[in-house]
């Protein structure tokens, strides 16, 4: 009988699973996923073609929410604050629907290490102190030249304005050139030494200690061509200058 049923298909195969399952149960819907966070309301004017990103209503954005499609997650040195930026501000209404963007007001960094760093890098330090030394030396030299012009009388009386101006320029230039060169070299030595000492990360060494040591080493190197006694005296002066700079950094952190 079983062979005939298989040949002619008169029998029905038994499905033990259907027999044991009992009455069918209604299909249960899976638990709905938690709703996504509310997104800012997007507006698009259907009457005119739009080729840019959808505009965002500034009122629909929460204080900590950004604009969809813009990069988020960049590190900031502190709690990020943002502002609205409208590239179409001041244009006529014919320019199309306005687009508002939320832009951060503080500096952004790609890596967390850069955001946590409170000091300049070695190359920025080199440029800053070398340029600051050259500029301050030039100002000091010009001031010295003007003081010499005002206090020292020339051997030959100068009667015309052209001769007086020429004397002022000669005195200011002769004083400013050596002053600016010397202070720029001191700034170069100091920045290189401080960056190197900071990279060593000596345990227990405060930042003020590195600054004082860098000032002493820079002064000793600068005056070393004149002998060891001059180098020692310059190192003492440089250490005092480093302590002064460390104290100024508490008031002016950008130094």
């Amino acid at each position: 009988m079983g062979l005939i049923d298989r040949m002619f298909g008169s029998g029905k195969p038994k499905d033990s699973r259907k027999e044991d399952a009992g009455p069918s149960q209604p299909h249960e819907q899976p638990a709905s996923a938690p709703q996504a966070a509310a997104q800012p309301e997007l507006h698009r004017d259907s009457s005119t073609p739009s080729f840019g990103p959808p505009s965002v209503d500034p009122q629909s954005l929460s204080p900590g929410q950004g604009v969809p499609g813009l990069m988020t997650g960049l590190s900031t040195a502190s709690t990020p604050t943002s502002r609205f930026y409208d590239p179409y501000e001041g244009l006529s209404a014919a320019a199309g629907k306005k687009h508002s963007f939320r832009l951060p007001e503080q500096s952004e960094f790609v890596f967390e290490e850069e955001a946590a760093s409170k000091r300049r890098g070695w190359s920025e330090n080199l440029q800053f102190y070398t340029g600051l030394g050259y500029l301050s030396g030039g100002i000091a030299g010009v001031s010295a030249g003007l003081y010499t012009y005002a206090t020292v009388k020339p051997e030959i009386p100068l009667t015309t304005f052209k001769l007086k101006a020429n004397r002022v320029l000669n005195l200011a230039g002769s004083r400013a050139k050596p002053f600016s060169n010397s202070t720029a070299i001191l700034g170069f030595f100091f920045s290189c030494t401080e960056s190197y000492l900071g990279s060593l990360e000596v345990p227990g060494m405060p930042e003020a200690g590195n600054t004082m040591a860098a000032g002493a080493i820079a002064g000793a190197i600068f005056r070393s061509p004149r002998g060891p006694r001059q180098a020692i005296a310059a190192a003492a002066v440089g250490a005092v200058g480093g302590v002064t700079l460390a104290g100024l950094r508490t008031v002016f952190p950008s130094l």
Side-chain angles (χ1 to χ4, degrees):
M1 186 67 181
L3 181 60
I4 296 176
D5 291 340
R6 292 181 181 180
M7 293 177 62
F8 295 96
S10 58
K12 296 181 179 180
K14 296 180 180 181
D15 191 355
S16 58
R17 290 180 297 178
K18 291 184 178 181
E19 293 177 359
D20 298 338
S24 61
Q25 300 293 336
H27 182 64
E28 297 180 356
Q29 296 290 340
S32 59
Q35 296 181 354
Q39 295 293 335
E41 182 181 359
L42 303 180
H43 303 276
R44 189 181 293 278
D45 191 1
S46 58
S47 60
T48 58
S50 177
F51 301 97
S55 60
V56 179
D57 186 7
Q59 303 297 333
S60 64
L61 293 175
S62 60
Q65 190 175 13
V67 178
L70 296 180
M71 294 180 61
T72 57
L74 294 179
S75 303
T76 54
S78 60
T79 303
T81 58
S82 57
R83 61 180 176 85
F84 282 108
Y85 169 69
D86 187 4
Y88 300 95
E89 183 178 3
L91 299 179
S92 61
K97 190 68 177 180
K98 291 186 176 181
H99 305 270
S100 298
F101 302 92
R102 184 180 291 275
L103 300 179
E105 294 183 348
Q106 297 179 349
S107 302
E108 294 182 320
F109 302 90
V110 178
F111 303 104
E112 294 290 342
E113 292 79 4
E114 296 180 354
S117 178
K118 298 181 180 180
R119 299 296 303 161
R120 292 179 294 267
W122 70 270
S123 59
E124 298 172 339
N125 217 28
L126 177 65
Q127 298 175 26
F128 177 78
Y129 284 111
T130 304
L132 181 63
Y134 191 87
L135 181 61
S136 59
I139 294 175
V142 171
S143 301
L146 294 177
Y147 178 79
T148 303
Y149 174 82
T151 56
V152 179
K153 294 183 179 180
E155 297 178 359
I156 301 175
L158 304 177
T159 56
T160 62
F161 174 78
K162 185 176 181 180
L163 293 176
K164 294 179 180 180
N166 187 29
R167 183 169 182 262
V168 169
L169 294 177
N170 289 336
L171 290 175
S174 62
R175 301 295 193 281
K177 184 176 180 180
F179 276 40
S180 58
N181 291 339
S182 299
T183 51
I185 293 173
L186 276 173
F188 175 80
F189 289 157
F190 173 79
S191 61
C192 294
T193 308
E194 187 185 32
S195 299
Y196 176 72
L197 294 177
S199 64
L200 296 179
E201 297 182 357
V202 180
M205 175 65 72
E207 185 178 358
N210 292 333
T211 305
M212 182 182 67
I217 295 174
I221 295 175
F222 180 74
R223 300 294 288 185
S224 59
R226 296 181 177 240
R229 299 181 63 180
Q230 291 283 341
I232 294 174
V237 176
V240 174
V243 173
T244 304
L245 180 59
L248 290 176
R249 282 177 179 173
T250 59
V251 183
F252 306 101
S254 59
L255 290 177

